[in-house]
Amino acid sequence: MFYAILAYHVEDAIKALTPQEDAALMADLLKINTRLHEEGTLGPSARLGATQDAITLRGPGDGVIIDGPFAETKEQLLGLYVVDCATRDEAIAIARDLRRVNPTAVYEIRPILLFKPGVPLAGK
C-alpha cells in the first residue's frame, strides 16, 4: 500500500534558517531519503515553494484563481499530483481539466522545489 507523508511546518521558522542550517537540515533529510530509496520504499519527494507563490482554483464552472493556499476547515487534503509544466498557466489548465471531472474539488497549485526524487520527473 502506498502512503503520502505530508510535511507541515511553520514556514517562517524554515525561512529563518541560515543557509548553513538549511543545508544541514537538507543533508540530514537526504540521508533518510537515500536509505528509503535504497530500500525501494521512496517515491518522489519534494520541498514546496513558498505559500506566497501558491494559488487556489475554486468555484463553479472553470473556477476562479485565488492567490494563496486557501482551504476551508471542512476540506481535507485527499490527494496530490506532481506535474511538469513550463508555466503556471499550464498547471492551471491541468487543474481545470481535473475539475471538469471532479467539480467539487479545490486544487491548490504551488511550485515545488524537487530536492531528492525517488522517481525522476521528465525534464522539459
Side-chain angles (χ1 to χ4, degrees):
M1 179 173 288
F2 293 101
Y3 293 90
I5 300 174
L6 308 172
Y8 290 88
H9 209 296
V10 177
E11 187 172 22
D12 287 341
I14 297 300
K15 287 181 181 178
L17 295 174
T18 66
Q20 296 80 12
E21 290 169 330
D22 187 59
L25 172 60
M26 296 309 293
D28 288 343
L29 290 172
L30 181 59
K31 289 176 190 172
I32 295 170
N33 286 14
T34 300
R35 176 181 53 95
L36 295 173
H37 180 67
E38 289 170 356
E39 292 172 357
T41 59
L42 181 67
S45 59
R47 185 181 217 183
L48 292 178
T51 55
Q52 69 192 23
D53 295 333
I55 54 175
T56 301
L57 174 64
R58 71 166 54 247
D62 275 350
V64 176
I65 297 295
I66 303 165
D67 287 336
F70 296 111
E72 296 182 14
T73 56
K74 66 182 179 181
E75 298 166 346
Q76 294 81 39
L77 180 63
L78 299 180
L80 62 97
Y81 298 84
V82 176
V83 295
D84 187 8
C85 299
T87 67
R88 184 171 93 157
D89 287 340
E90 287 180 23
I92 291 170
I94 291 169
R96 284 197 165 122
D97 288 341
L98 293 168
R99 275 186 53 98
R100 283 191 229 334
V101 298
N102 191 7
T104 61
V106 174
Y107 293 97
E108 179 183 331
I109 302 148
R110 191 185 307 187
I112 61 172
L113 309 173
L114 203 58
F115 65 89
K116 178 60 180 167
V119 179
L121 293 173
K124 289 200 173 202

